[in-house]
C-alpha cells in the first residue's frame, strides 16, 4: 500500500498479492523480450515506490542480479557502481519530486554514461526528459510482452542458492565503495530477523522510510512479503505530517526509522494528533539513538517497544538487536540476532568468558546464514579477517564496536 506526498486526504492505494505477482511476471517477460539473460546485472536507481518493488522482484525472478544504487547519488557515484557491477541495464525515473521541487535523475544516469535505460515517469502526464538513443520509456518496455501468450505468468529461472541476487555497496566515504553480493540465501536472513525480533507476521503492515540503494530497502521487501505482511510506502519525505498521517491511515503495525527522524518529529511535533494505536513496535537502525527522543517516540504509540537493530549490508540483517520476548531498555540491545554468535575481545584480542559480565571489542563468528562471503572489487579476507584472532579455529570479524555484557 502507498500514498504520494501532498495527497494526505486521498485513499490509500493498494495492490494485492495476486496483482503484484501478475505485474512482476509481466516485467520479467519484458526483461526477456529486451534481451536480458540469466546472470545479467541490472541496476535500479529510483525512489522506492511500488514500481521499484515490482522491478526488484522481477529482476530476481528472471535470474538476474539487482544492482542497488541510491537515488541521491551524484553522477560520479552512480558511474562507479555501474562500472564495478558491470550492469547491463538500468531502471530509473525521469525526475524526482519532493514537495514543490523537481530534481533530475535520468540526466544523472546519462552523465554517468550508464547502460541502456528504462525510464519511468514521475508524473502521470508522461516523461519529462528527452531520451538517449537506445533508451526506452516504461510503457514501451512493457509493450515488449505483446507477443507473449501469457504475459502475466512467468516460470522463475532456477538459480543456485550461492548465486548473486543483489549487489549492494558500502558508503564509499573512505574510497571506492565495497561491492557486496547478496545470495539467494540472504532474503531468508532478512525475513528471519523480521519474524524473530520484530514479530512481523501475516496481515501486519510494515513501513520503513528507505531506498533500494541501501540494505534496508531490499530488507523491507523480504521482511514483509516472506512473512506474509504488507509493505507500506510513502512517496515523499518522512519528516512531515503527511508521513505521520500515512502511518495512521495505513494502520502500520511495525515502523522502522533512523533516530534522526524521531528527533525531527519531536522538535516539530508533526506527529501530534495522529492515532498510531495500530503500532505493535518500532525498529531503529543506522545511527546511535537518544534515550529522551525514543521515550518521546514511544509515548506517541501508547509506549510500544522500540527494537534496536544493528547489523550491516554484509550480513543482510542484524547481529545484535532486541526481542519482543525480552524486557527492553531504551537505546540498548538485549540479544544477539538469531543465528549470530558475538565474541567480546580483550585488549590483547583474546575472547572474554561468555558467562561473565565483560567490556571489550565486539567481534562476530563468521558462520552467519545468508551473509556475504566475497566482494566484487576487493579481497574479502583482507577487508574482514586479516589480523583478527582465531576463536575455536575460525577468524572472527571485527565490527569496530565497544561492547559490554551484564548478567
Amino acid at each position: 500500500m502507498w500514498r504520494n506526498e501532498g495527497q494526505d486526504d486521498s485513499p490509500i492505494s493498494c495492490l494485492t498479492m495476486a496483482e503484484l505477482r501478475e505485474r512482476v511476471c509481466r516485467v520479467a517477460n519484458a526483461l526477456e523480450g529486451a534481451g536480458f539473460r540469466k546472470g545479467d546485472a541490472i541496476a535500479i536507481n529510483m525512489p522506492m515506490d511500488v514500481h521499484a518493488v515490482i522491478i526488484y522482484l522481477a529482476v530476481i525472478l528472471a535470474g538476474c542480479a539487482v544492482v542497488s544504487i541510491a537515488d541521491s547519488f551524484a553522477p560520479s557515484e552512480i558511474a562507479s557502481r555501474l562500472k564495478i557491477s558491470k550492469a547491463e541495464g538500468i531502471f530509473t525515473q525521469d525526475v524526482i519530486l519532493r514537495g514543490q521541487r523537481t530534481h533530475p535523475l535520468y540526466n544523472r544516469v546519462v552523465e554517468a554514461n550508464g547502460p541502456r535505460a528504462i525510464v519511468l515517469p514521475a508524473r502521470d502526464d508522461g516523461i519529462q526528459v528527452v531520451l538517449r538513443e537506445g533508451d526506452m520509456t516504461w510503457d514501451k518496455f512493457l509493450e515488449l510482452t505483446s507477443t507473449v501468450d501469457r504475459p502475466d505468468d512467468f516460470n522463475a529461472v532456477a538459480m543456485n542458492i550461492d548465486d548473486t541476487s543483489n549487489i549492494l555497496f558500502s558508503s564509499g566515504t573512505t574510497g571506492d565503495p565495497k561491492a557486496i553480493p547478496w545470495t539467494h540465501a540472504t532474503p531468508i536472513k532478512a525475513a528471519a530477523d523480521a519474524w524473530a525480533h520484530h514479530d512481523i507476521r501475516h496481515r501486519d503492515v510494515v513501513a520503513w522510510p528507505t531506498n533500494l540503494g541501501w540494505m534496508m530497502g531490499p530488507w523491507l521487501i523480504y521482511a514483509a512479503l516472506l512473512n506474509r505482511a504488507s509493505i507500506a510506502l510513502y512517496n515523499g519525505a518522512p519528516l512531515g505530517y503527511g508521513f505521520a498521517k500515512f502511518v495512521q491511515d495505513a494502520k502500520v503495525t511495525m515502523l522502522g526509522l533512523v533516530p534522526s527522524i524521531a528527533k525531527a518529529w519531536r522538535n516539530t511535533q508533526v506527529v501530534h494528533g495522529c492515532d498510531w494505536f495500530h503500532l505493535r513496535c518500532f525498529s531503529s537502525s543506522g545511527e546511535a539513538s537518544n534515550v529522551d527522543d525514543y521515550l518521546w517516540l514511544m509515548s506517541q504509540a501508547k509506549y510500544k517497544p522500540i527494537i534496536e537493530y544493528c547489523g550491516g549490508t554484509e550480513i543482510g540483517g542484524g547481529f545484535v538487536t532486541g526481542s519482543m520476548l525480552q524486557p527492553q531498555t531504551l537505546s540498548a540491545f538485549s540479544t544477539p540476532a538469531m543465528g549470530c554468535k558475538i565474541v567480546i575481545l580483550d585488549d590483547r584480542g583474546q575472547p572474554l568468558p561468555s558467562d561473565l559480565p565483560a567490556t571489550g571489542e565486539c567481534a562476530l563468528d563468521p558462520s552467519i546464514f545468508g551473509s556475504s562471503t566475497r566482494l566484487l572489487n576487493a579481497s574479502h579476507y583482507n577487508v574482514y579477517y586479516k589480523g583478527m584472532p582465531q576463536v575455536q579455529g575460525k577468524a572472527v570479524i571485527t565490527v569496530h564496536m565497544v561492547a559490554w555484557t551484564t548478567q
Side-chain angles (χ1 to χ4, degrees):
M1 51 187 73
W2 68 96
R3 177 185 281 161
N4 295 329
E5 187 175 22
Q7 300 177 3
D8 300 342
D9 295 320
S10 64
I12 298 285
S13 299
C14 298
L15 199 66
T16 67
M17 287 297 293
E19 292 167 334
L20 174 64
R21 179 178 177 81
E22 289 177 356
R23 296 192 190 189
V24 169
C25 288
R26 183 175 288 267
V27 173
N29 278 309
L31 286 168
E32 284 198 349
F36 294 106
R37 295 293 177 259
K38 179 179 178 178
D40 284 349
I42 302 173
I44 301 177
N45 179 214
M46 58 186 291
M48 189 172 176
D49 60 11
V50 64
H51 295 296
V53 174
I54 290 167
I55 293 165
Y56 183 95
L57 294 171
V59 170
I60 294 172
L61 193 70
C64 300
V66 174
V67 180
S68 293
I69 302 177
D71 60 7
S72 59
F73 282 156
S76 60
E77 296 172 300
I78 297 172
S80 66
R81 287 158 175 78
L82 291 172
K83 181 179 179 181
I84 292 168
S85 64
K86 301 178 181 178
E88 298 286 343
I90 184 169
F91 286 87
T92 189
Q93 202 166 273
D94 54 356
V95 295
I96 298 175
L97 304 178
R98 285 292 179 265
Q100 302 301 315
R101 295 186 177 183
T102 300
H103 304 278
L105 185 54
Y106 171 73
N107 288 343
R108 279 187 266 150
V109 171
V110 172
E111 190 175 339
N113 196 28
R116 57 175 169 157
I118 296 96
V119 186
L120 288 80
R123 297 186 178 91
D124 294 335
D125 54 356
I127 295 289
Q128 307 294 312
V129 294
V130 177
L131 301 187
R132 297 177 302 185
E133 184 177 354
D135 294 344
M136 66 175 69
T137 65
W138 177 244
D139 288 342
K140 286 291 184 183
F141 171 74
L142 293 180
E143 286 177 9
L144 296 174
T145 64
S146 60
T147 59
V148 178
D149 290 338
R150 299 171 63 188
D152 295 337
D153 194 16
F154 187 88
N155 291 323
V157 175
M159 306 294 287
N160 293 321
I161 195 168
D162 291 328
D163 288 337
T164 299
S165 65
N166 196 168
I167 300 169
L168 298 103
F169 297 87
S170 64
S171 61
T173 52
T174 58
D176 283 340
K178 298 191 297 288
I180 302 163
W182 279 11
T183 69
H184 288 263
T186 314
I188 301 173
K189 162 62 176 169
D193 280 5
W195 173 80
H197 297 287
H198 302 87
D199 195 29
I200 294 175
R201 59 177 93 151
H202 186 213
R203 299 194 183 282
D204 270 352
V205 179
V206 186
W208 198 310
T210 185
N211 185 271
L212 287 175
W214 309 110
M215 68 152 282
M216 294 312 298
W219 185 95
L220 173 61
I221 294 174
Y222 297 128
L225 297 184
L226 288 180
N227 287 301
R228 299 194 301 159
S230 299
I231 303 171
L233 300 170
Y234 183 73
N235 302 327
L239 300 179
Y241 171 75
F243 179 82
K245 187 173 185 296
F246 172 69
V247 171
Q248 167 191 286
D249 296 348
K251 299 180 180 178
V252 171
T253 57
M254 202 292 284
L255 175 59
L257 72 166
V258 294
S260 55
I261 292 179
K263 182 177 290 293
W265 287 343
R266 184 184 177 198
N267 289 338
T268 58
Q269 292 295 314
V270 295
V271 175
H272 182 71
C274 291
D275 192 341
W276 284 2
F277 72 94
H278 288 94
L279 279 169
R280 287 194 291 109
C281 74
F282 299 91
S283 185
S284 172
S285 190
E287 302 166 356
S289 57
N290 177 277
V291 171
D292 292 333
D293 289 341
Y294 272 13
L295 182 60
W296 172 87
L297 181 63
M298 288 176 62
S299 73
Q300 306 306 300
K302 299 183 180 179
Y303 293 93
K304 299 298 171 54
I306 298 173
I307 303 298
E308 293 282 353
Y309 188 54
C310 182
T313 304
E314 296 88 344
I315 301 172
F319 62 84
V320 62
T321 181
S323 170
M324 297 283 278
L325 300 179
Q326 296 170 320
Q328 299 301 298
T329 300
L330 285 166
S331 302
F333 307 104
S334 66
T335 180
M338 185 176 68
C340 296
K341 180 181 179 182
I342 291 176
V343 180
I344 298 181
L345 307 176
D346 63 18
D347 54 9
R348 296 171 299 158
Q350 297 301 309
L352 291 163
S354 60
D355 57 346
L356 295 174
T359 300
E361 182 181 10
C362 184
L364 298 179
D365 185 305
S367 305
I368 303 171
F369 183 82
S371 63
S372 63
T373 57
R374 62 192 178 96
L375 296 171
L376 299 186
N377 61 337
S379 165
H380 193 267
Y381 172 82
N382 288 343
V383 170
Y384 298 109
Y385 298 106
K386 188 175 181 180
M388 290 298 294
Q390 297 231 343
V391 178
Q392 296 180 345
K394 293 182 287 187
V396 293
I397 308 169
T398 182
V399 293
H400 302 294
M401 174 190 285
V402 174
W404 64 93
T405 58
T406 59
Q407 288 180 316

